[in-house]
Amino acid sequence: MFQDRKEYRKNFNAEGQLFVGGETLQLNCYDVSLKGAMVEVSPGDLLTTIQDFEALLNEDRQAEIFVAELMLAGEVDIVWVKRERNRLMMGLEFRDVVHNAHKLWRKRCGYRKLEAFKAELFIDKERFSVEGVNRSVQGMCLKLTGHHPCIKVNAPVKLLATELGLSALGKVVWVESNELVTRLGLQLVIVK
C-alpha cells in the first residue's frame, strides 16, 4: 500500500506564520509531505482576497514559513492558491527548510535569511544608519559603526527599511558592542 503512493503525507493541524508580499500571515498547516504542505492562510492587511494572492503570484512565488509545532522553518514557493469553502488555501513547495533542527531551534525561533540591506533605526531621539545582516519573520540582526550607549536591551525602536518596503516597531533583544562596531538583535513587534 505504501508503494502505491508517490510520497507519504501526514494530516494534522498546526499553526504557523507565512511571510509573503511584505506581511506576516497566520496559517493552519493541514497536510505535510517531504516536498511541501497544504495550508489555510488568514487574510492580512494587504493580501485579503483570492485576487490579491493571484496578483502576487504573477510577480513573486517566494515566501518564508515558520511552524513552531513541527520545528519547521525556511523558504517555500507558493505553487497554487484557491478559495475552498470560504477559506484561502495554498499549496507550498519546500525550497530551503530546516526540519527538526533542535540545536538551531534553541538558538532562534525561526528561519533567518542572510540578507544585506540598509535601514534607518530610531531609538529615543537618535537616528542611526544601520546595515542588515540577516532577517526572519520575527526579527533581524543589524550592525552599525561605533559604540552607542542608547542602544541597550529592551530599548523600544522604530525601523525604516525602504528597500525592503518595511516600516516596523520593535525592541532590542541583544547587543554586542565594542569601540568599532555594534551588532544588535531586533524583535519586530508591529510591522506596517
Side-chain angles (χ1 to χ4, degrees):
M1 187 153 131
F2 181 71
Q3 287 91 359
D4 294 340
R5 298 184 71 177
K6 285 187 176 178
E7 57 182 303
Y8 177 73
R9 293 182 105 46
K10 174 81 174 156
N11 292 319
F12 60 91
N13 189 5
E15 294 181 357
Q17 296 173 316
L18 190 72
F19 183 72
V20 60
E23 66 179 320
T24 303
L25 305 176
Q26 298 303 311
L27 65 83
N28 281 325
C29 192
Y30 294 117
D31 185 343
V32 173
S33 73
L34 294 173
K35 295 181 180 178
M38 181 175 71
V39 299
E40 175 189 356
V41 180
S42 298
D45 295 327
L46 303 172
L47 299 167
T48 57
T49 66
I50 190 77
Q51 291 80 15
D52 294 336
F53 285 98
E54 288 171 344
L56 174 71
L57 293 185
N58 288 331
E59 297 173 24
D60 189 12
R61 293 184 169 269
Q62 296 180 14
E64 292 176 29
I65 191 170
F66 174 60
V67 183
E69 190 177 328
L70 298 177
M71 289 191 284
L72 176 129
E75 295 181 355
V76 296
D77 286 324
I78 301 170
V79 180
W80 54 262
V81 61
K82 64 183 176 183
R83 185 167 267 311
E84 188 177 281
R85 293 184 306 227
N86 268 350
R87 299 183 306 173
L88 286 169
M89 303 301 291
M90 274 187 191
L92 306 177
E93 185 175 287
F94 299 143
R95 273 197 308 134
D96 183 16
V97 296
V98 178
H99 297 280
N100 296 322
H102 297 285
K103 290 181 183 173
L104 177 67
W105 194 257
R106 282 195 277 274
K107 289 169 88 175
R108 292 195 169 131
C109 288
Y111 174 78
R112 293 260 172 169
K113 178 179 183 178
L114 291 175
E115 183 172 17
F117 58 91
K118 303 264 189 231
E120 298 293 320
L121 187 67
F122 301 89
I123 301 177
D124 293 330
K125 294 178 181 163
E126 300 286 330
R127 177 182 179 170
F128 302 98
S129 292
V130 296
E131 292 179 42
V133 177
N134 62 41
R135 68 185 181 101
S136 73
V137 170
Q138 297 176 330
M140 57 185 59
C141 175
L142 305 170
K143 69 177 181 179
L144 65 155
T145 52
H147 173 74
H148 307 279
C150 71
I151 299 176
K152 55 187 177 250
V153 174
N154 291 325
V157 301
K158 180 178 179 187
L159 177 83
L160 182 59
T162 312
E163 64 187 84
L164 299 178
L166 178 69
S167 174
L169 299 177
K171 70 175 183 174
V172 177
V173 290
W174 59 265
V175 178
E176 294 174 355
S177 185
N178 59 40
E179 296 302 316
L180 300 175
V181 68
T182 298
R183 289 171 50 98
L184 62 126
L186 185 67
Q187 177 186 359
L188 301 178
V189 179
I190 300 172
V191 180
K192 300 175 182 176

